[in-house]
């Protein structure tokens, strides 16, 4: 999504001109500059509203806990960035999933998020202002799903690339016009040898 595009631009600049990114203040200014110029705060494609959201390029499928079938999840039209977490924090310790109230969890079909629950949390960010308020922990992110596995189907069409990042490493994912690019993420439980008594 858009945050991955900004991260890609920042990393590319830092690789080409390392003398510019020499400290946290300089890095934040460069990051903010990319956020503004690449449409994260001001969408340059107002003449083409179909280019604004991810649902025009992305299909999202999940496998719920103890289920073997993929279920397609409707992508909210306002979402311009998808984040998948297997921890309860993101972006230097922020908690965008939040501490959700029991009635909200029940209504959405979620359970309380824990790093060892075998589930991943999927949420969306709408644009730079929304992301800024989420990172300041003033509001919550757009909760999309909670799942044991997730599959993204990226469709090319008018798009020849998608920006993706994993663990802070961004890349430009090429897209083929007539084919889908599939990215599947499964959370594999880790079994401790100490707890199991294995040697």
């Amino acid at each position: 999504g858009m945050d991955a595009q900004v991260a890609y631009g920042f990393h590319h600049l830092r690789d080409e001109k390392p003398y510019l990114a020499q400290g946290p203040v300089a890095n934040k200014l460069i990051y903010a500059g990319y956020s503004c110029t690449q449409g994260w705060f001001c969408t340059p494609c107002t003449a083409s509203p179909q280019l604004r959201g991810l649902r025009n390029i992305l299909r999202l499928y999940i496998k719920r806990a103890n289920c073997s079938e993929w279920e397609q999840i409707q992508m909210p039209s306002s979402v311009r960035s998808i984040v998948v977490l297997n921890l309860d924090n993101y972006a230097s310790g922020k908690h965008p999933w939040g501490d959700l109230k029991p009635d909200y969890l029940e209504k959405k079909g979620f359970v309380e998020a824990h790093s060892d629950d075998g589930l991943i949390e999927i949420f969306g960010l709408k644009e730079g202002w929304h992301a800024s308020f989420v990172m300041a922990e003033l509001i919550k992110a757009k909760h999309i799903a909670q799942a044991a596995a997730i599959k993204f189907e990226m469709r090319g069409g008018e798009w020849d690339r998608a920006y993706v990042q994993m663990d802070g490493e961004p890349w430009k994912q090429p897209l083929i016009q007539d084919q889908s690019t599939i990215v599947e993420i499964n959370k594999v439980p880790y079994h401790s040898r100490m707890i199991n008594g294995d040697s």
Side-chain angles (χ1 to χ4, degrees):
M2 288 299 297
D3 62 333
Q5 182 177 357
V6 170
Y8 179 84
F10 173 77
H11 281 273
H12 189 70
L13 176 72
R14 190 170 60 180
D15 288 345
E16 283 187 352
K17 300 176 183 177
Y19 57 88
L20 289 177
Q22 297 247 336
V25 174
N27 290 350
K28 287 181 181 176
L29 288 171
I30 294 168
Y31 223 86
Y34 268 106
S35 296
C36 292
T37 60
Q38 294 188 11
W40 192 216
F41 284 93
C42 301
T43 305
C45 49
T46 52
S48 301
Q50 74 274 12
L51 300 178
R52 292 181 138 206
L54 283 179
R55 73 177 182 176
N56 299 306
I57 186 176
L58 186 72
R59 285 191 185 130
L60 175 64
Y61 301 89
I62 65 167
K63 280 187 186 176
R64 298 195 186 271
N66 303 317
C67 186
S68 61
E69 299 294 319
W70 288 106
E71 172 188 346
Q72 185 173 357
I73 299 296
Q74 194 66 27
M75 182 74 68
S77 61
S78 60
V79 168
R80 297 181 66 200
S81 184
I82 293 285
V83 179
V84 179
L85 291 180
N86 64 348
L87 299 171
D88 65 349
N89 61 57
Y90 168 75
S92 301
K94 304 299 180 198
H95 301 281
W97 187 258
D99 295 320
L100 306 179
K101 297 188 184 313
D103 55 334
Y104 180 81
L105 291 170
E106 186 177 339
K107 177 184 168 189
K108 295 292 259 178
F110 298 155
V111 296
E112 189 175 340
H114 295 283
S115 59
D116 61 351
D117 61 7
L119 298 173
I120 48 182
E121 284 70 44
I122 303 129
F123 65 86
L125 300 171
K126 299 175 185 179
E127 80 283 303
W129 298 111
H130 180 243
S132 297
F133 288 131
V134 169
M135 292 304 114
E137 298 181 350
L138 298 173
I139 60 173
K140 303 290 183 254
K142 178 85 175 155
H143 299 110
I144 296 174
Q146 208 174 30
I150 183 171
K151 179 169 62 174
F152 296 109
E153 178 185 356
M154 293 179 272
R155 297 165 287 158
E158 296 179 40
W159 303 76
D160 62 353
R161 67 189 173 280
Y163 292 91
V164 182
Q165 69 175 325
M166 181 177 288
D167 288 336
E169 295 299 323
W171 73 91
K172 203 183 317 184
Q173 177 65 50
L175 299 178
I176 301 169
Q177 186 172 9
D178 300 331
Q179 297 178 357
S180 292
T181 300
I182 305 291
V183 176
E184 189 174 321
I185 301 169
N186 293 291
K187 184 170 182 179
V188 179
Y190 174 76
H191 299 288
S192 169
R193 290 180 163 206
M194 292 185 78
I195 293 172
N196 293 338
D198 296 339
S199 52

